[in-house]
Amino acid sequence: MNKIRYISLCFIVTLLLITSCNDDFLNTKPLGEVPDDALWKDAALTEAFVTQIYNGLGQGGFNEQMLASLTDEAIFTHPGRGINTITESRSNPADRGWINGTLDWPAMYQRIRACNLALEHLESPEFENANGIVERLRGEALFLRAYYYHQLVRYYGGVPLIERSYGLGEADYTVPRNTFEECVNFIVKDCDEAAQLLDGKAMANGRASKGAALALKSRILLYAASDLHDIPTASTKSATIGGFSDKNILGYIDGSRDARWLAAKNAAKAVLDLTGYGYQTNLSAPVTPAQGTTNYMNMSLSKGGGESELIFARYFINLKQEDGGRVGLFNGPNGYHNWAGNTPIQNLVDDYEMMDGTSFDWNNPDHASAPYQNRDPRMDATILHDGSPWKPRTADGAGKDPNNQIQTGQYQILNSKNEVVSYFGLDTRQSSIEDWNGSRTGYYMRKFIDPNPTIVDQNTWQEIPWPFFRYTEAMFNYAEACIELGEDEEARTWLNKIRFRAGMPAITESGDALKQRYRNERRIEMAYEEQRYHDARRWMIAPETLGQKAGIINITATFKPGKSLTLYKYDPQTYNYVYTPLNIDPGIENRLWLDKMYYLPISRDEINRNAKLVQNPGF
């Protein structure tokens, strides 16, 4: 024992003698960090810094709780998560309920600061500009700054514009909100400069590009021209906005609205004129219904040529197991052991047109008796409904449903005693497979879920990208601006390109009727793409849309005379199906619209930090 102590003591003394003679030991650099002065002298490290700014994009829109569930597209199945505090107008500055990280005020400003840091150091780079890397990185940083500001602006209105990185020890960190117009101009300027810097650059998937910068510019200028941000218009539609003292934070208090629509039109056309984007946009007549469904699936899954739709996207690989690859688990049927998260509501289903372009009507006996037949082909590519074919069931369900059909109703079957009994479908909340994660609406999300049977959503990640910007959005933006400028023929031309691809007949209306057809077309085509929440607000139709009670479907099936089955399958020859639309139990979600919901409230913490901030109206 003493020998061991002696050896140890000698070792320690020797080590101290060695290190005391070598001051470098005290100056050892941490292996997991890079000092600031070294970072900006190395092109690879600078690129890594800019790359990490993309992390502010999160999972794109593929979060467990999706923005669709704040709209008349979907409802979130699981109460108590905070998302319904917004739909029920129970949010306030102290308790805003659910807030996605990609629209969170402090999270966005953290990324904006990183953009400012990169832009400051790239102004006079300390490394060789090989292959134009400086211009490329500056272009990416400018695009990202514009994108994060656009996120803040479209949820909160005008926000403080910070163009530099603040340091420690500054005299004042408080900044007032800029006007909405100043914010739009700032975003447009960043987009224009980014597009110029990125022009001709070969960019990897998921990185900013000239197209992405122009698409962002198109979107923000479209918003700028819309009703919500034209204060004279908005004030007549909302007493809450009309009575607000700082209206220029919310929109334009004067100026030519036609000029804003023209700017939006020109910005959208600049995107449409880019080469290499767009899918099946030159058809002169509608494709078949089957091809229309396939076309829509190709775009939402980014396969079969649909990849050309993407201008800017968040990509996923199953080797890196991120939440964005678990869309099927989050939203798929409980009869497949999935979670039924953001389920479509009847309000959305009802807005899909009939194949002849007329509206679906529950008062029409033919429609009501077979509500999923002869509908817009995009419906079957977006929504799983009762009887929809789907993937093979897992082992515990395969024997109960060898036909692999979605079951969201209550049906008659014969039991072992040859008695007629009531049977709840495998994808209901009374399922014999799993009775807690079932849809409350009678529907499930299909869009963005890979139908490949080898992808078992319960435990397998998929690789479907999230579309931040796709070519079709620019087509819609262009058509909307044309409608507002009275250029109906041009608007119809671009709308019918979208409809022909989906297998739908041409739109022929003009004037206000054309505007209403356009709005529904955009609603259907862009479902689940984080468009509806913003569109309903900027059009100021939220009281009639986002404020609607969430609709559901109740389905029962009884045997036709002389017919019977012991193992249920969807079969209109055997069953009489009755479809009854209802509103969801208000104890689950009781939607209410108040005009303060046109903007999110700034949190109390932010206002306490910055006394110059003005709170949004109604909060």
Side-chain angles (χ1 to χ4, degrees):
M1 180 68 69
N2 289 336
K3 184 177 182 180
I4 295 174
R5 287 179 176 173
Y6 176 75
I7 292 173
S8 299
L9 180 60
C10 289
F11 177 79
I12 293 170
V13 170
T14 302
L15 183 62
L16 289 172
L17 288 172
I18 293 172
T19 56
S20 65
C21 298
N22 186 359
D23 291 339
D24 291 342
F25 178 81
L26 300 176
N27 297 323
T28 300
K29 296 179 180 179
L31 298 179
E33 300 177 10
V34 178
D36 186 72
D37 58 347
L39 190 159
W40 303 109
K41 294 178 181 178
D42 185 285
L45 291 176
T46 301
E47 181 167 13
F49 181 90
V50 172
T51 298
Q52 68 82 29
I53 303 175
Y54 285 89
N55 288 337
L57 300 174
Q59 304 297 316
F62 289 150
N63 299 284
E64 183 181 354
Q65 294 162 253
M66 299 178 74
L67 194 66
S69 290
L70 294 186
T71 76
D72 53 351
E73 293 177 338
I75 191 170
F76 192 67
T77 297
H78 314 294
R81 301 287 188 90
I83 192 167
N84 64 341
T85 64
I86 297 179
T87 59
E88 296 181 351
S89 189
R90 293 188 284 119
S91 58
N92 58 62
D95 177 15
R96 294 175 295 162
W98 170 83
I99 291 291
N100 185 312
T102 63
L103 58 92
D104 185 56
W105 184 288
M108 293 298 94
Y109 273 108
Q110 287 173 7
R111 301 298 172 180
I112 289 168
R113 183 179 189 277
C115 292
N116 287 336
L117 274 170
L119 290 168
E120 289 165 2
H121 286 281
L122 288 167
E123 190 66 33
S124 300
E126 300 179 62
F127 52 82
E128 184 179 350
N129 187 20
N131 300 316
I133 188 173
V134 172
E135 289 79 13
R136 175 170 66 80
L137 294 179
R138 286 189 64 237
E140 291 182 77
L142 283 164
F143 168 80
L144 289 168
R145 184 170 70 175
Y147 181 85
Y148 295 133
Y149 268 124
H150 126 281
Q151 281 292 89
L152 289 167
V153 167
R154 64 179 182 162
Y155 287 99
Y156 298 97
V159 297
L161 292 173
I162 311 299
E163 300 183 57
R164 66 179 182 87
S165 60
Y166 280 75
L168 295 175
E170 299 208 14
D172 186 7
Y173 294 99
T174 60
V175 185
R177 296 174 67 175
N178 284 78
T179 68
F180 184 85
E181 181 177 5
E182 289 169 341
C183 290
V184 170
N185 292 343
F186 184 87
I187 292 168
V188 168
K189 180 176 179 294
D190 272 4
C191 288
D192 283 339
E193 190 172 348
Q196 183 177 6
L197 290 167
L198 296 171
D199 189 16
K201 298 288 192 297
M203 305 299 292
N205 286 342
R207 301 191 81 98
S209 64
K210 175 183 178 181
L214 294 180
L216 175 55
K217 176 181 176 180
S218 171
R219 178 185 289 175
I220 196 65
L221 286 175
L222 185 81
Y223 287 12
S226 300
D227 283 3
L228 181 61
H229 304 299
D230 182 70
I231 295 303
T233 301
S235 296
T236 64
K237 294 187 175 185
S238 168
T240 300
I241 293 174
F244 188 55
S245 59
D246 296 279
K247 294 183 180 67
N248 61 0
I249 290 174
L250 308 180
Y252 295 81
I253 58 177
D254 54 27
S256 169
R257 195 172 180 193
D258 278 351
R260 294 197 288 275
W261 280 119
L262 181 60
K265 175 190 170 184
N266 292 338
K269 190 61 164 61
V271 180
L272 299 181
D273 288 342
L274 295 171
T275 58
Y277 297 114
Y279 175 71
Q280 298 284 331
T281 59
N282 292 314
L283 300 170
S284 58
V287 298
T288 64
Q291 188 60 49
T293 298
T294 297
N295 286 344
Y296 195 71
M297 289 181 63
N298 284 345
M299 290 185 291
S300 63
L301 300 175
S302 295
K303 296 179 178 179
E307 306 94 318
S308 60
E309 266 288 295
L310 295 179
I311 296 177
F312 182 62
R314 170 72 159 89
Y315 290 82
F316 302 92
I317 56 174
N318 57 28
L319 293 177
K320 186 180 181 184
Q321 296 181 346
E322 301 177 277
D323 279 354
R326 298 204 295 171
V327 180
L329 172 66
F330 290 161
N331 299 288
N334 63 316
Y336 289 79
H337 297 288
N338 300 316
W339 299 353
N342 303 274
T343 51
I345 57 178
Q346 192 65 47
N347 316 52
L348 173 62
V349 177
D350 288 350
D351 281 349
Y352 284 88
E353 296 174 1
M354 304 302 292
M355 274 301 305
D356 61 3
T358 59
S359 298
F360 174 82
D361 185 1
W362 280 108
N363 293 317
N364 182 318
D366 292 334
H367 294 184
S369 64
Y372 310 130
Q373 295 180 15
N374 200 34
R375 301 291 292 277
D376 185 322
R378 289 170 290 191
M379 188 175 80
D380 280 341
T382 305
I383 296 167
L384 292 172
H385 54 76
D386 188 69
S388 291
W390 194 227
K391 299 182 182 184
R393 297 276 178 181
T394 52
D396 57 340
K400 299 177 180 181
D401 176 27
N403 298 291
N404 306 316
Q405 298 170 331
I406 297 299
Q407 300 179 6
T408 58
Q410 185 176 355
Y411 326 104
Q412 288 184 340
I413 60 169
L414 292 181
N415 66 10
S416 58
K417 298 178 182 179
N418 212 35
E419 299 169 329
V420 176
V421 296
S422 186
Y423 170 79
F424 286 96
L426 298 179
D427 306 302
T428 66
R429 294 185 68 81
Q430 296 81 26
S431 169
S432 61
I433 294 177
E434 189 172 293
D435 63 359
W436 60 91
N437 274 335
S439 169
R440 298 180 187 276
T441 69
Y443 300 103
Y444 290 94
M445 172 182 166
R446 178 176 182 174
K447 186 173 179 177
F448 295 128
I449 301 178
D450 197 324
N452 185 340
T454 66
I455 297 177
V456 180
D457 298 310
Q458 180 186 6
N459 52 34
T460 309
W461 277 251
Q462 64 175 38
E463 298 185 334
I464 307 303
W466 170 260
F468 286 108
F469 295 99
R470 65 180 179 104
Y471 188 79
T472 298
E473 180 185 343
M475 296 171 73
F476 278 124
N477 295 351
Y478 182 72
E480 182 173 343
C482 286
I483 291 170
E484 296 293 343
L485 292 169
E487 301 171 14
D488 289 359
E489 183 176 356
E490 182 74 354
R492 286 192 297 268
T493 295
W494 285 90
L495 287 177
N496 289 333
K497 289 175 182 285
I498 298 169
R499 288 176 64 83
F500 290 167
R501 178 180 67 194
M504 293 298 289
I507 288 174
T508 59
E509 287 86 348
S510 298
D512 186 66
L514 174 61
K515 179 187 290 188
Q516 301 312 314
R517 292 296 300 275
Y518 160 79
R519 289 182 174 182
N520 195 67
E521 183 68 19
R522 183 176 176 117
R523 164 165 167 69
I524 295 305
E525 174 74 21
M526 307 300 283
Y528 278 94
E529 295 187 35
E530 295 197 339
Q531 299 281 340
R532 183 63 172 177
Y533 177 76
H534 301 290
D535 288 343
R537 290 164 52 248
R538 68 185 180 85
W539 293 332
M540 300 193 77
I541 61 171
E544 300 82 34
T545 55
L546 307 190
Q548 279 184 328
K549 303 302 180 186
I552 65 174
I553 193 71
N554 183 70
I555 302 171
T556 58
T558 55
F559 286 130
K560 290 185 174 181
K563 300 289 186 178
S564 64
L565 279 176
T566 56
L567 184 65
Y568 175 75
K569 67 175 181 179
Y570 175 74
D571 184 1
Q573 302 304 312
T574 300
Y575 288 99
N576 290 314
Y577 288 88
V578 177
Y579 303 88
T580 307
L582 303 167
N583 285 336
I584 200 165
D585 182 343
I588 303 301
E589 188 164 335
N590 188 27
R591 294 189 169 185
L592 173 69
W593 177 265
L594 298 177
D595 281 359
K596 67 178 184 177
M597 296 164 67
Y598 279 118
Y599 298 92
L600 290 183
I602 302 171
S603 73
R604 194 184 307 279
D605 287 344
E606 292 301 324
I607 290 177
N608 288 341
R609 291 189 193 103
N610 183 0
K612 294 178 182 176
L613 288 178
V614 174
Q615 182 58 276
N616 276 329
F619 294 100

